Coordinates of all heavy atoms in Angstrom, one line a residue:
Chain A
L73 N -21.5 -24.8 -1.4 CA -20.5 -23.8 -1.8 C -20.5 -22.7 -0.7 O -21.6 -22.4 -0.2 CB -20.9 -23.1 -3.1 CG -20.0 -22.3 -3.9 CD1 -18.9 -23.1 -4.5 CD2 -20.8 -21.6 -5.0
S74 N -19.4 -22.2 -0.3 CA -19.4 -21.2 0.7 C -18.4 -20.1 0.3 O -17.4 -20.3 -0.4 CB -19.1 -21.7 2.1 OG -17.7 -22.1 2.2
L75 N -18.7 -18.9 0.8 CA -17.9 -17.7 0.6 C -17.5 -17.2 1.9 O -18.3 -16.9 2.8 CB -18.6 -16.6 -0.2 CG -17.8 -15.3 -0.4 CD1 -16.7 -15.5 -1.4 CD2 -18.8 -14.2 -0.9
Q76 N -16.2 -17.1 2.2 CA -15.7 -16.6 3.4 C -15.0 -15.2 3.2 O -14.2 -15.1 2.3 CB -14.6 -17.6 4.0 CG -15.2 -18.9 4.3 CD -14.2 -19.9 4.9 OE1 -13.0 -19.6 5.1 NE2 -14.6 -21.1 5.1
I77 N -15.4 -14.3 4.0 CA -14.9 -12.9 3.9 C -14.2 -12.6 5.1 O -14.8 -12.7 6.2 CB -16.0 -11.9 3.6 CG1 -16.8 -12.2 2.4 CG2 -15.4 -10.5 3.5 CD1 -18.0 -11.3 2.2
A78 N -12.9 -12.4 5.0 CA -12.1 -12.1 6.2 C -12.2 -10.6 6.6 O -12.2 -9.7 5.7 CB -10.6 -12.5 6.0
A79 N -12.2 -10.3 7.9 CA -12.1 -9.0 8.4 C -13.2 -8.1 7.7 O -12.9 -7.1 7.0 CB -10.7 -8.3 8.2
T80 N -14.4 -8.5 7.8 CA -15.5 -7.9 7.1 C -15.6 -6.4 7.4 O -15.4 -5.9 8.5 CB -16.9 -8.5 7.5 OG1 -16.7 -9.9 7.5 CG2 -18.0 -8.1 6.6
Q81 N -15.8 -5.6 6.3 CA -15.8 -4.2 6.4 C -17.2 -3.6 6.0 O -18.0 -4.3 5.4 CB -14.8 -3.6 5.4 CG -13.4 -4.1 5.6 CD -12.5 -3.7 4.5 OE1 -12.9 -3.1 3.5 NE2 -11.2 -4.0 4.7
P82 N -17.6 -2.4 6.4 CA -18.9 -1.9 6.1 C -19.2 -1.9 4.6 O -20.3 -2.1 4.1 CB -18.8 -0.4 6.6 CG -17.9 -0.5 7.8 CD -16.8 -1.5 7.3
G83 N -18.1 -1.7 3.8 CA -18.3 -1.8 2.3 C -18.6 -3.1 1.8 O -19.0 -3.2 0.6
D84 N -18.6 -4.1 2.6 CA -18.9 -5.5 2.2 C -20.5 -5.7 2.3 O -21.0 -6.7 1.8 CB -18.2 -6.5 3.0 CG -16.7 -6.5 2.9 OD1 -16.3 -6.3 1.7 OD2 -16.0 -6.8 3.9
S85 N -21.2 -4.8 2.9 CA -22.6 -4.9 3.0 C -23.2 -4.9 1.6 O -23.0 -4.0 0.8 CB -23.2 -3.7 3.8 OG -22.8 -3.8 5.1
A86 N -24.0 -6.0 1.3 CA -24.6 -6.2 0.0 C -25.3 -7.5 0.0 O -25.4 -8.2 1.0 CB -23.5 -6.2 -1.1
V87 N -25.9 -7.8 -1.1 CA -26.5 -9.1 -1.3 C -25.5 -10.0 -2.1 O -24.9 -9.5 -3.1 CB -27.8 -9.1 -2.1 CG1 -28.4 -10.5 -2.3 CG2 -28.9 -8.2 -1.3
Y88 N -25.3 -11.2 -1.7 CA -24.3 -12.1 -2.3 C -25.1 -13.2 -2.9 O -25.9 -13.9 -2.3 CB -23.3 -12.6 -1.3 CG -22.3 -11.5 -0.8 CD1 -22.7 -10.5 0.1 CD2 -21.1 -11.4 -1.4 CE1 -21.9 -9.5 0.5 CE2 -20.2 -10.3 -1.0 CZ -20.6 -9.4 -0.1 OH -19.8 -8.4 0.3
F89 N -24.7 -13.5 -4.2 CA -25.3 -14.6 -4.9 C -24.3 -15.6 -5.3 O -23.2 -15.2 -5.8 CB -26.0 -14.1 -6.2 CG -27.2 -13.2 -6.0 CD1 -27.1 -11.8 -6.0 CD2 -28.5 -13.8 -5.8 CE1 -28.2 -11.0 -5.8 CE2 -29.6 -13.0 -5.6 CZ -29.4 -11.6 -5.6
C90 N -24.6 -16.9 -5.2 CA -23.8 -17.9 -5.9 C -24.5 -18.2 -7.2 O -25.7 -18.1 -7.4 CB -23.6 -19.1 -5.0 SG -25.1 -20.1 -4.8
A91 N -23.7 -18.5 -8.2 CA -24.2 -18.9 -9.5 C -23.5 -20.2 -10.0 O -22.3 -20.3 -9.7 CB -24.0 -17.8 -10.5
E92 N -24.2 -21.0 -10.6 CA -23.6 -22.3 -11.1 C -23.8 -22.4 -12.7 O -24.8 -21.9 -13.2 CB -24.3 -23.5 -10.5 CG -25.7 -23.6 -10.7 CD -26.4 -24.8 -10.0 OE1 -26.1 -26.0 -10.3 OE2 -27.2 -24.6 -9.1
N93 N -22.8 -22.9 -13.3 CA -22.8 -23.2 -14.7 C -22.9 -24.7 -14.9 O -22.1 -25.4 -14.4 CB -21.6 -22.7 -15.4 CG -21.5 -23.1 -16.9 OD1 -20.6 -23.7 -17.3 ND2 -22.6 -22.8 -17.6
R94 N -24.0 -25.1 -15.5 CA -24.1 -26.6 -15.7 C -23.4 -27.0 -17.0 O -23.4 -26.3 -18.0 CB -25.6 -26.9 -15.8 CG -26.3 -26.5 -14.6 CD -27.8 -26.6 -14.6 NE -28.4 -26.1 -13.4 CZ -29.7 -26.0 -13.1 NH1 -30.5 -26.5 -13.9 NH2 -30.1 -25.5 -11.9
R95 N -22.7 -28.1 -16.9 CA -21.9 -28.6 -17.9 C -22.7 -28.6 -19.2 O -23.8 -29.0 -19.3 CB -21.4 -30.0 -17.6 CG -20.2 -30.5 -18.3 CD -19.7 -31.8 -17.7 NE -19.3 -31.6 -16.3 CZ -19.6 -32.4 -15.3 NH1 -20.3 -33.5 -15.6 NH2 -19.1 -32.2 -14.1
D96 N -22.1 -28.3 -20.3 CA -22.6 -28.3 -21.6 C -23.7 -27.2 -21.9 O -24.4 -27.3 -22.9 CB -23.2 -29.7 -22.0 CG -22.2 -30.8 -21.9 OD1 -21.0 -30.4 -22.2 OD2 -22.5 -31.9 -21.6
T97 N -23.8 -26.3 -21.0 CA -24.6 -25.1 -21.3 C -23.7 -23.9 -21.1 O -22.6 -23.9 -20.6 CB -25.8 -25.0 -20.3 OG1 -25.4 -24.6 -19.0 CG2 -26.6 -26.3 -20.2
D98 N -24.2 -22.8 -21.6 CA -23.5 -21.5 -21.5 C -24.2 -20.4 -20.7 O -24.2 -19.3 -21.1 CB -23.1 -21.0 -22.9 CG -22.0 -21.9 -23.5 OD1 -21.0 -22.1 -22.8 OD2 -22.2 -22.4 -24.6
K99 N -24.9 -20.8 -19.7 CA -25.6 -19.9 -18.9 C -25.4 -20.1 -17.4 O -25.1 -21.2 -17.0 CB -27.1 -19.9 -19.2 CG -27.8 -21.2 -18.9 CD -29.2 -21.2 -19.5 CE -29.9 -22.5 -19.1 NZ -31.2 -22.7 -19.8
L100 N -25.5 -19.1 -16.6 CA -25.4 -19.2 -15.2 C -26.8 -19.3 -14.6 O -27.7 -18.5 -14.9 CB -24.7 -18.0 -14.6 CG -23.2 -17.9 -15.0 CD1 -22.6 -16.6 -14.4 CD2 -22.4 -19.0 -14.4
I101 N -26.9 -20.2 -13.6 CA -28.1 -20.2 -12.8 C -27.8 -19.7 -11.4 O -26.9 -20.1 -10.7 CB -28.6 -21.7 -12.7 CG1 -28.8 -22.3 -14.1 CG2 -29.9 -21.8 -11.9 CD1 -29.8 -21.6 -15.0
F102 N -28.6 -18.7 -11.0 CA -28.4 -18.0 -9.7 C -29.2 -18.6 -8.6 O -30.3 -19.0 -8.7 CB -28.8 -16.6 -9.9 CG -27.7 -15.7 -10.6 CD1 -27.6 -15.8 -11.9 CD2 -26.9 -14.9 -9.8 CE1 -26.6 -15.0 -12.6 CE2 -25.9 -14.2 -10.5 CZ -25.7 -14.2 -11.8
G103 N -28.6 -18.6 -7.4 CA -29.2 -18.9 -6.2 C -30.1 -17.7 -5.7 O -30.1 -16.6 -6.4
T104 N -30.7 -17.8 -4.6 CA -31.6 -16.8 -4.1 C -30.9 -15.6 -3.5 O -31.5 -14.5 -3.3 CB -32.7 -17.3 -3.2 OG1 -32.0 -18.0 -2.1 CG2 -33.6 -18.3 -3.9
G105 N -29.7 -15.8 -3.0 CA -29.0 -14.7 -2.4 C -29.1 -14.6 -0.9 O -30.0 -15.1 -0.3
T106 N -28.1 -14.0 -0.3 CA -28.0 -13.7 1.1 C -27.6 -12.3 1.3 O -26.6 -11.8 0.7 CB -26.9 -14.6 1.8 OG1 -27.3 -16.0 1.6 CG2 -26.8 -14.3 3.3
R107 N -28.3 -11.6 2.2 CA -28.0 -10.2 2.5 C -27.0 -10.2 3.6 O -27.2 -10.7 4.7 CB -29.2 -9.4 2.8 CG -28.9 -7.9 3.0 CD -30.2 -7.2 3.5 NE -31.3 -7.4 2.5 CZ -31.5 -6.8 1.4 NH1 -30.6 -5.9 1.0 NH2 -32.5 -7.1 0.6
L108 N -25.8 -9.5 3.4 CA -24.8 -9.3 4.5 C -24.9 -7.9 5.0 O -24.8 -6.9 4.2 CB -23.4 -9.6 3.9 CG -22.3 -9.4 4.8 CD1 -22.3 -10.3 6.0 CD2 -20.9 -9.5 4.1

Side-chain angles (χ1 to χ4, degrees):
Chain A
L73 195 67
S74 69
L75 176 70
Q76 300 178 1
I77 304 174
T80 312
Q81 301 170 358
D84 295 327
S85 294
V87 177
Y88 290 80
F89 293 98
C90 66
E92 61 183 294
N93 172 238
R94 300 174 186 179
R95 198 172 298 137
D96 299 330
T97 72
D98 287 310
K99 62 190 181 188
L100 291 175
I101 304 300
F102 279 77
T104 52
T106 297
R107 185 182 306 281
L108 176 65

